[in-house]
Amino acid sequence: MKKVIMIGPASVSKGGIATVIANFEKTFSSNKVKIHYIASWKEGNPLFKLWMFVKAIMQLCYLAITQKIDIVHIHTSQKGSLYRKMIFINIAKLFRCKVMLHMHGSRFGIFYDKQPRFLQKTIVNHLDRLDHIIVLSDAWKAYYENLCDTPVTVMENAVEVPLSNPYTNTSKTIVTFGNVSQEKGSYDLLRAIQSLGAAYKEYEFIFYGIGDIPTAEAEIKQNNLTNVTLGGWVESNQKQNILENALLHILPSYHEALPMAVLETMAHGIPNISTNVGGIPQIIENQRNGLLIEPGEVTDLKQAIADLLDNEATRQEMSGKAHQAVQAKFSIDACNRKWEELYATI
């Protein structure tokens, strides 16, 4: 049996990486692979975060000394997350473990280009020491293959998919999941809602997530957007009810890998309006199971929302195709089988 150490944020933390790890903890089961989870980060004050990091290092060292570890599977994004994970790469290699780096960062290319030359070289040297790199889309596969010599495999995120489509086509609630920020297109969406005007006031738009809440609150108040609510962070026990009562999900991001929010909502048959970036076009087929626009195009975003709100039949058709698309390619069971096969090859 292959023994795998998985390192990343605690599964109860906020964010997409934590959701991916939580899905592993909840659903991955194999007679050929055993995963031990190490949490290297969790929300808290700086001293607590430092303790989580140091404790994770000690746990990795202890397990590597006392057991035969085959693979260390490390989740990371960019910036500080990557530099912290370099320490785990070096420790794992010191104990002659195979190392797999799972890249989730949607802005890695921008981050890398801004680094001084010596840090770029350090990053590439660490990437070249790896045994495998995991990415979320074909575009990122091409990027890393051009950057380093390590083998790269696309492994899409996965979600639990209801057996039957639970979509409620008569709902008046439109949701968006993710940090409230310019990068996620939050302010573009607020401007689009303002442009929709009084004709669509019966629909409530709820922004679920953390981020730049004061700026969003100020814009909502300034433009008298009475049908907009900031719903805060959603705990896992709240999400099911939200997903079963949402009419649309909107994520007009400027940068993405393969967002869990899009997969989770489509798994529940919710038509998505999103942007043609990252791995999103791998799951949303424009005009078939959702709508895609270019980032920053507020007029197009407003028109896309209006088009779906005005056409119940189109929503229903997209809903069925969205549910089917996720069930076919992004279900937990299908992806867990792919993970088992990949671990066996490393």
Side-chain angles (χ1 to χ4, degrees):
M1 176 178 285
K2 288 248 175 147
K3 292 185 178 180
V4 177
I5 301 294
M6 184 174 289
I7 300 174
S11 59
V12 294
S13 299
K14 298 177 174 68
I17 301 178
T19 302
V20 170
I21 294 173
N23 283 340
F24 266 101
E25 289 183 349
K26 183 178 178 181
T27 69
F28 187 86
S29 178
S30 169
N31 295 323
K32 300 177 181 178
V33 179
K34 182 179 180 180
I35 301 179
H36 182 96
Y37 300 91
I38 295 178
S40 61
W41 186 92
K42 190 178 179 182
E43 287 89 355
N45 62 49
L47 189 60
F48 176 76
K49 291 177 181 177
L50 177 61
W51 163 242
M52 290 292 296
F53 179 64
V54 173
K55 184 171 74 167
I57 291 174
M58 293 190 294
Q59 287 177 301
L60 176 59
C61 291
Y62 174 78
L63 291 170
I65 291 170
T66 60
Q67 302 180 24
K68 182 186 181 301
I69 305 303
D70 296 296
I71 301 170
V72 178
H73 180 168
I74 302 171
H75 294 264
T76 191
S77 55
Q78 59 257 327
K79 299 183 180 179
S81 174
L82 177 68
Y83 288 126
R84 290 192 301 272
K85 300 305 168 46
M86 286 181 180
I87 296 174
F88 292 105
I89 292 171
N90 292 329
I91 293 171
K93 282 299 179 182
L94 179 66
F95 288 101
R96 299 182 180 180
C97 303
K98 298 292 182 76
V99 181
M100 172 189 297
L101 197 62
H102 198 152
M103 307 296 296
H104 297 265
S106 62
R107 296 174 61 89
F108 182 89
I110 297 171
F111 154 75
Y112 177 81
D113 289 342
K114 290 182 178 179
Q115 302 308 294
R117 183 65 62 88
F118 79 96
L119 285 180
Q120 289 183 343
K121 186 175 180 181
T122 299
I123 291 169
V124 172
N125 285 342
H126 278 78
L127 295 180
D128 281 334
R129 294 191 69 196
L130 301 169
D131 297 279
H132 219 89
I133 295 174
I134 305 300
V135 296
L136 304 179
S137 70
D138 293 332
W140 281 114
K141 183 177 190 293
Y143 175 86
Y144 286 104
E145 286 178 337
N146 187 58
L147 189 64
C148 65
D149 297 325
T150 301
V152 184
T153 295
V154 177
M155 294 289 282
E156 297 92 350
N157 288 333
V159 292
E160 294 185 83
V161 185
L163 291 177
S164 59
N165 185 359
Y167 181 56
T168 305
N169 202 2
T170 56
S171 172
K172 299 295 182 182
T173 303
I174 299 165
V175 300
T176 177
F177 290 105
N179 281 349
V180 178
S181 66
Q182 178 62 39
E183 181 179 320
K184 291 291 184 181
S186 304
Y187 308 115
D188 292 341
L189 179 53
L190 287 175
R191 287 190 282 274
I193 295 168
Q194 183 182 5
S195 298
L196 286 169
Y200 298 92
K201 283 289 186 180
E202 63 184 302
Y203 295 97
E204 182 183 16
F205 293 80
I206 306 179
F207 288 61
Y208 288 109
I210 56 177
D212 191 6
I213 301 300
T215 301
E217 287 177 332
E219 187 158 334
I220 291 167
K221 183 177 180 180
Q222 179 181 341
N223 294 299
N224 194 31
L225 300 177
T226 57
N227 60 336
V228 176
T229 302
L230 300 178
W233 181 257
V234 177
E235 300 296 341
S236 57
N237 60 344
Q238 302 171 295
K239 187 172 287 186
Q240 187 64 29
N241 184 59
I242 294 169
L243 291 172
E244 290 178 357
N245 291 281
L247 185 70
L248 302 175
H249 176 251
I250 304 173
L251 188 69
S253 297
Y254 285 73
H255 306 278
E256 285 291 353
L258 185 60
M260 292 296 290
V262 169
L263 293 177
E264 288 177 328
T265 50
M266 289 181 67
H268 285 74
I270 302 168
N272 269 249
I273 299 171
S274 194
T275 44
N276 190 30
V277 299
I280 293 175
Q282 289 180 212
I283 179 61
I284 298 180
E285 296 182 54
N286 190 36
Q287 302 290 341
R288 187 173 185 275
N289 59 19
L291 296 178
L292 292 175
I293 62 167
E294 294 303 316
E297 296 294 334
V298 176
T299 301
D300 291 346
L301 177 57
K302 175 250 183 182
Q303 189 59 53
I305 297 169
D307 287 346
L308 287 187
L309 293 183
D310 290 342
N311 197 321
E312 181 177 347
T314 298
R315 293 197 305 268
Q316 194 64 49
E317 183 178 357
M318 285 186 173
S319 170
K321 290 176 179 176
H323 179 259
Q324 291 168 8
V326 178
Q327 196 170 50
K329 190 175 180 182
F330 299 93
S331 70
I332 289 284
D333 289 343
C335 285
N336 281 348
R337 287 193 295 271
K338 289 172 65 177
W339 277 113
E340 186 178 66
E341 293 169 2
L342 180 62
Y343 286 138
T345 65
I346 295 176

